[in-house]
Amino acid sequence: MKTATFRIWRGNSEGGLLRDYTTEVSEGMVVLDAVHQIQSKQAPDLACRWNCKAGKCGSCSAEINGAPRLMCMTRLNDLPLDKPVTIEPMKAFPLIRDLVTNVSWNYEVKKRIKKFKPRRPDVSDGTWRMLQPDIDRVQEFRKCIECFLCQDVCHVLRDHRKHDEFIGPRFFVHAAGLEMHPLDTEERSQELRTSFGIGYCNITKCCTNVCPEEIKITDNAIIPLKERVVDDAYDPIRKLIRRFTNGD
Amino acid sequence: MADYQTFEHDVLVIGSGGAGLRAAIEASATGVSVGLVCKCLLGKAHTVMAEGGIAAALANVDDRDNWKVHFADTMRGGQYVNNWRMAELHAREAPARVRELEAWGAVFDRTPDGRILQRNFGGHKYPRLAHVGDRTGLEMLRTLQDHGVHQGIDVHMECTILTLLKEGDRVVGAFGYEREKGTFRVYRAKAVVLATGGIGRAFKITSNSWDCTGDGHSLAYHAGAELIDMEFVQFHPTGMVWPPSVCGILVTEGVRGEGGVLRNSEGKRFMFGDIPENYRSQTADNEEEGWRYTQGDRDARRPPELLTRDHVARCIVREIKEGRGSPHGGVFLDISWIRKKLSNASEHIKRKLPSMYHQFKQLANIDITAEAMEVGPTTHYIMGGIRVDADTQMSRLPGLFAAGECAAGINGANRLGGNSLSDLLVFGKRAGEYAAQFSRENKTGVVNPGQIEETVSEALESFNRGSKGSAADGNPYEIQYELQRFMQDLVGIVRKETEMTEAIDRITELWIRSKSVAAHGNRQYNPAWHTALDLRSLLTVSEAITVSALNRKESRGGHYRDDYPQKDPALGKLNVVVWKGRDGTIQVRHEPLPEMPDELKGIIEEMK
């Protein structure tokens, strides 16, 4: 049977190294299958976080040959197997062990974003009316599986470690999903400009490129939010008009 | 003395899927303090995998729908062994629970006049499933998560519960470990809600996530609660069959709801050949009528592909067994054929079924807008679970509540698609509400240190063996795989006495071997250790399923016996109950169904 070698990061926050494991590969296998095979036969304590193995939960994020990807959706036949496949943990977050990182910062960030606040119901039975074309954009944002690969690749977090001043692409998408929700009446543009640090993003689109859900993070979420933030800060009349018409 | 950290909450919710989050939100909204224990990270629970929709008689698409029709559909689908009260509450309360999600920010697909759109699904008489493309579960879970995190719920991520702590009969907390460092935790609580989901990982081919190991079923069983209906496991008719590594991943029923058809290797739509008597009047007898139904024609009857899951799964197995299967051991599910009917078919499919399109494109190199998929049955859901009071969701142990898949009653012998998400909401809310009430009426209980010491020493046994490098150095992954393989083969879709007896023997053997597994290294995020600890849950539920299945000598819903292929009317009047006896062995009894009020009997008759 065909084999391939996987060069996997082993270690914790105190240090570690890349170690080679050779295992059999079969048709249709994904990287996560190889990791499981190595776990069950060669390295039982190899730490890796996973859940659905179907690209829907966003747990098994890692860097495969240097690229941030979901292990469960990366097929081996899309990778060159004549040399070792490198698998490393995400670098924008503190390492727990092996391929598992501490992503708790993301959960803290989300708590800081004001929650959905709907307008009064449109109908006396407590329901609203929204048309499909008005929610298409928001539904795109709500496809996010919170794999945090966009956070991992973003140089503001990865290289400049601005975790205290910048919420990252995932949460601009989250904020955009709230801000562009036809029913939402909350106001978030001031903190987007200040404590959420949207100005740090210089639209290199790295996040868009790694999104497994193919959300156009930069074009559809971040740039419109930047425009909105600028309008609200420097053009209060437009802000008023927008609030009045209750949409984008 | 064992080393552990202690946390205290009024209500402790174990499980962070739809039911757990909904329970936590409800309890917290009443003002009590709530802890939420997640086996995984928050927002990753198996609920995200639900695709098709949430069943609720909103009557937005067909105004003939109402709770009575939904109730009758649920009972018919469950072959009338459902708990009637749960089915009633579920049908009555589901619409309000769905509307509530919208008020919390969920963005469902819309009807042309701007209301929540509903789609057709198997066993539902009218289009009833509120949905978001084919990622409804994600929408629901994210909405609950984002709403919940602003309510001051204490979330304990990546923690696994090993035992429920008891004072006499009452449950007063839980004990477990957190994964990151591998340290132990005591959670003291006045009331505990189990919402741990399913058991799919006891089988080899499953649509279930890594964490669906039946923990709640097992915790409740060992604490002294009863499990009912455990023989009823749902094998979803359409899972991926190829490539091998993705075998079992779900292909939503929504594909058939949108007009997808099942064909065998001869190109025949075999479902037309086998329509059960009690569904005949509701089912189309020609392809044209079936197509019209999927396109919203109110006068058309549903195509046979949308019969209940148990039946469709068995028909698929028959086609495969009789040599009319697809090249990789499934049958063909084709949605691409609708291009003969719709000019924009390719775009239509991508819009209605985006994750299916991506799943097949990415994992199997198949373009579902142009070619047929290969599908076969996959272990999907357990109808059985912890026996609870229909109104309050409390088990027979005071202070222990359960909701969602780990609780039983609403689904009877077979669950209708879409009823699980509404079940999570309706009974998650109820469990949270009544657990909060219980916590206000009762003081914090006393934890027994002996119970903790015992659990700790059991939990660390695998390490002791690992460090000694003893000869009995069992590999926990191997034991898990072996269990999954024989449960699939011996207690799967088609069951018989001899095979299930063999399964019992092999479970007994694995119980012994599970006591000799070894873990190496340290406790920090150690998956071999976690796998070793999960074995107890997996073996417990496997045993409960097998014993219950041996005991029901008939075929009904998700439970099919080759040696008793017919329904037995006498057995249709009872539930199979299992519990842990004083000597530690599994006990079983039959119990008559609760008597249904005449008013509800009338509804069922009227809808027949």
Side-chain angles (χ1 to χ4, degrees), chain B residues 552-570:
Chain B
R552 188 175 278 279
K553 295 185 185 340
E554 65 156 353
S555 293
R556 183 179 297 273
H559 172 65
Y560 185 83
R561 297 268 310 240
D562 216 15
D563 40 2
Y564 299 95
Q566 302 303 322
K567 264 189 253 185
D568 177 344

Side-chain angles (χ1 to χ4, degrees), chain B residues 20 22 41 61 195 203 236 245 283 370 398 421 460 465 504 547 570:
Chain B
R22 188 63 190 79
L41 293 174
V61 172
F203 292 81
H236 192 289
S245 83
T283 309
L421 292 188
L460 293 178
R465 282 188 291 269
I504 292 283
V547 166

Side-chain angles (χ1 to χ4, degrees), chain B residues 13-21 23 37 193-197 216 386 401-407:
Chain B
V13 179
I14 302 169
S16 59
L21 268 164
V37 171
V193 179
L194 290 171
T196 54
I386 302 158
F401 299 74
E405 189 172 349
C406 73

Side-chain angles (χ1 to χ4, degrees), chain A residues 28 31 47 83-84 111 158 187 202 221 236 238:
Chain A
V31 169
K83 51 187 180 193
K111 279 192 207 160
R158 186 186 179 91
E187 192 58 61
N202 57 3
R238 263 184 83 166

Side-chain angles (χ1 to χ4, degrees), chain B residues 446-466:
Chain B
V446 179
V447 167
N448 171 3
Q451 197 188 351
I452 293 172
E453 292 296 328
E454 193 185 333
T455 311
V456 166
S457 81
E458 268 176 36
L460 293 178
E461 269 173 19
S462 54
F463 276 115
N464 298 338
R465 282 188 291 269

Side-chain angles (χ1 to χ4, degrees), chain A residues 49-64:
Chain A
R49 184 184 274 136
W50 70 287
N51 227 34
C52 77
K53 202 178 169 289
K56 295 204 171 80
C57 76
S59 299
C60 63
S61 304
E63 299 188 5
I64 300 163

Side-chain angles (χ1 to χ4, degrees), chain B residues 541-559:
Chain B
V541 295
S542 298
E543 191 172 354
I545 291 167
T546 313
V547 166
S548 304
L550 270 165
N551 223 266
R552 188 175 278 279
K553 295 185 185 340
E554 65 156 353
S555 293
R556 183 179 297 273
H559 172 65

Side-chain angles (χ1 to χ4, degrees), chain B residues 208-414:
Chain B
N208 283 196
S209 292
W210 156 83
D211 49 358
C212 298
T213 49
D215 293 3
H217 290 83
S218 168
L219 290 168
Y221 171 86
H222 290 293
E226 292 173 329
L227 306 179
I228 66 167
D229 295 340
M230 290 298 284
E231 67 276 30
F232 297 124
V233 176
Q234 180 168 80
F235 299 90
H236 192 289
T238 58
M240 291 177 81
V241 294
W242 189 89
S245 83
V246 299
C247 189
I249 294 182
L250 191 66
V251 180
T252 176
E253 194 165 315
V255 174
R256 285 168 282 146
E258 299 295 341
V261 300
L262 290 166
R263 292 185 199 281
N264 60 21
S265 60
E266 295 162 0
K268 187 180 165 200
R269 276 181 74 177
F270 54 87
M271 287 307 300
F272 276 105
D274 189 352
I275 299 168
E277 189 53 47
N278 59 340
Y279 280 96
R280 194 154 297 159
S281 65
Q282 301 185 357
T283 309
D285 53 16
N286 65 84
E287 301 194 6
E288 189 53 36
E289 184 182 1
W291 166 250
R292 282 192 285 116
Y293 175 89
T294 64
Q295 299 311 296
D297 182 340
R298 292 171 48 135
D299 298 323
R301 294 169 298 175
R302 74 171 79 107
E305 276 86 357
L306 289 177
L307 285 163
T308 53
R309 290 175 172 177
D310 52 337
H311 181 73
V312 179
R314 273 194 301 279
C315 289
I316 291 175
V317 170
R318 183 196 61 218
E319 293 303 307
I320 299 167
K321 273 196 173 162
E322 292 177 7
R324 295 183 296 273
S326 64
H328 298 100
V331 295
F332 296 105
L333 171 62
D334 188 12
I335 181 82
S336 71
W337 79 277
I338 69 170
R339 61 185 184 267
K340 291 182 195 152
K341 297 281 188 185
L342 301 174
S343 56
N344 61 341
S346 176
E347 284 318 302
H348 179 80
I349 294 166
K350 286 184 204 166
R351 188 161 51 80
K352 290 286 186 183
L353 303 162
S355 356
M356 288 304 106
Y357 175 76
H358 281 281
Q359 188 172 307
F360 276 89
K361 194 88 190 135
Q362 250 174 308
L363 295 174
N365 266 341
I366 283 176
D367 177 357
I368 66 167
T369 68
E371 54 194 315
M373 299 159 245
E374 277 186 70
V375 296
T378 179
T379 315
H380 187 52
Y381 188 87
I382 185 154
M383 278 65 78
I386 302 158
R387 185 184 197 180
V388 290
D389 174 75
D391 288 78
T392 65
Q393 299 294 106
M394 192 161 90
S395 70
R396 76 170 178 180
L397 304 177
L400 182 66
F401 299 74
E405 189 172 349
C406 73
I410 170 165
N411 295 303
N414 174 59

